[in-house]
Amino acid sequence: MKAFDALDLFDETRPELSVEIVARELRMTNATAHRFMTTLEIAGVLTAVRRGVYAPGPRLSRLGRMAEDLSPLPPSLQAVLDRLRQDLGESIMACRFTPRGPLCVAVSLAQRPISVQIRTGTTLPMTCTAQGRLFLAGMPPRDRTQWGISQGECQKTLTALEPLLTRLQSEGHALNQGYNEPDIAAIAVPITVAGRTVLTLSAFGTLSRFDESFFKRAERVMKLAAADLVAEITP
C-alpha cells in the first residue's frame, strides 16, 4: 500500500520526488524512505534522476502508455477527418502522444495519383514533425527535459527548439515543409483539454500542393474542427 501512497505524491507540479519529501509526507524516517525508493527503482517503477531524487520509471511509463492507448477516442473523430479530407482535398490524420513519437490513431486518405501513405499505427518522429513539435510545445519545460532524458534525445536539440516551441504554443499550429522527409508537407493543430494536448489533427501531402494560401485555409478549418472535438470530449 505504501507504494501507491508514494506514487500518489507525483502530480503535474511535482514530477520528481526526493527521499525527504517521501519521508515527511508518509511519516517515515529518511533511511526507511530511501530503502523504499531504492526498491521501487530496482523494480523499474521509479528512476533516479540524481542522488536521492526520483521520477516515474519505465515500468510506470509503460502503464501510462497503456492507459493512453486504451482511453477512448472522440466518437465523431473519423467523421471529422473524412469531412476535413473532403474540404481540403488532402489526407488527414489524428495523432496521440507516445514517448516514442506521435502515434497515428485515425486517418482519412485522399484519393490522389501521388499521395503520402500513412496508416493507423504509424509512429512519427517527435522533434522534426509538425505533430511532434505541437506535443513538445504543450509540455512544461521540465517535462520536455524529462522526455529528452528518457528517450536519449540530445539536450542541444531541445534547447535549439525552445524559441520555435514557444511560438507554436502561442500560434496554435505547426508546419512541416519538408523537415522530416523531402517533398512532404503538413500542417497540424492541437486538441487541448485542461491545458494538455491530447491529440493533434493534421493535413499532409506533397510539398508542392501546400502553398501559403492552403496553409491559411487549412489552419482555419482545422482549428474549427479541433474546437468541435474539444467540446465533444470535455466533461
Side-chain angles (χ1 to χ4, degrees):
M1 295 300 295
K2 286 293 185 183
F4 291 107
D5 292 338
L7 296 179
D8 280 343
L9 299 178
F10 287 110
D11 60 29
E12 290 82 4
T13 63
R14 189 160 57 186
E16 298 175 351
L17 290 177
S18 68
V19 168
E20 290 76 14
I21 289 174
V22 174
R24 182 180 66 248
E25 298 204 18
L26 298 186
R27 299 182 180 179
M28 59 177 66
T29 66
N30 280 4
T32 300
H34 183 266
R35 287 196 299 271
F36 184 64
M37 302 295 272
T38 300
T39 299
L40 291 176
E41 181 189 10
I42 293 171
V45 176
L46 299 179
T47 185
V49 294
R50 56 188 179 275
R51 186 178 179 83
V53 180
Y54 298 82
R59 206 166 189 178
L60 199 58
S61 297
R62 282 197 297 273
L63 291 175
R65 289 197 298 270
M66 184 182 297
E68 288 283 348
D69 291 342
L70 295 176
S71 60
L73 295 170
S76 69
L77 179 60
Q78 189 61 52
V80 169
L81 300 189
D82 292 340
R83 187 182 75 240
L84 288 171
R85 173 181 52 78
Q86 293 175 349
D87 289 349
L88 297 173
E90 299 291 347
S91 297
I92 310 292
M93 69 172 151
C95 288
R96 173 177 278 161
F97 173 85
T98 76
R100 299 179 302 279
L103 174 70
C104 177
V105 293
V107 64
S108 183
L109 293 174
Q111 300 302 310
R112 287 181 172 274
I114 300 176
S115 62
V116 181
Q117 298 297 308
I118 292 181
R119 303 295 181 184
T120 301
T122 300
T123 300
L124 305 176
M126 187 72 84
T127 60
C128 58
T129 62
Q131 301 86 349
R133 288 176 174 180
L134 280 182
F135 282 121
L136 290 174
M139 294 181 189
R142 180 178 291 184
D143 288 355
R144 280 199 292 271
T145 298
Q146 290 286 38
W147 172 83
I149 292 171
S150 68
Q151 299 301 305
E153 188 67 52
C154 176
Q155 186 58 42
K156 288 184 178 180
T157 300
L158 292 179
T159 301
L161 281 175
E162 285 294 333
L164 173 63
L165 298 180
T166 300
R167 179 167 60 82
L168 297 184
Q169 191 170 31
S170 64
E171 293 178 348
H173 71 279
L175 304 182
N176 183 348
Q177 296 174 285
Y179 310 141
N180 182 38
E181 296 183 41
D183 302 322
I184 295 178
I187 176 171
V189 301
I191 298 175
T192 305
V193 177
R196 176 172 168 263
T197 301
V198 296
L199 293 168
T200 61
L201 289 179
S202 54
F204 61 98
T206 56
L207 182 59
S208 60
R209 296 196 300 269
F210 281 57
D211 57 16
E212 184 176 354
S213 64
F214 175 83
F215 280 132
K216 288 182 178 180
R217 184 165 65 94
E219 177 192 349
R220 177 176 53 82
V221 299
M222 291 172 64
K223 283 184 175 178
L224 290 174
D228 289 342
L229 289 169
V230 169
E232 180 178 340
I233 61 181
T234 301

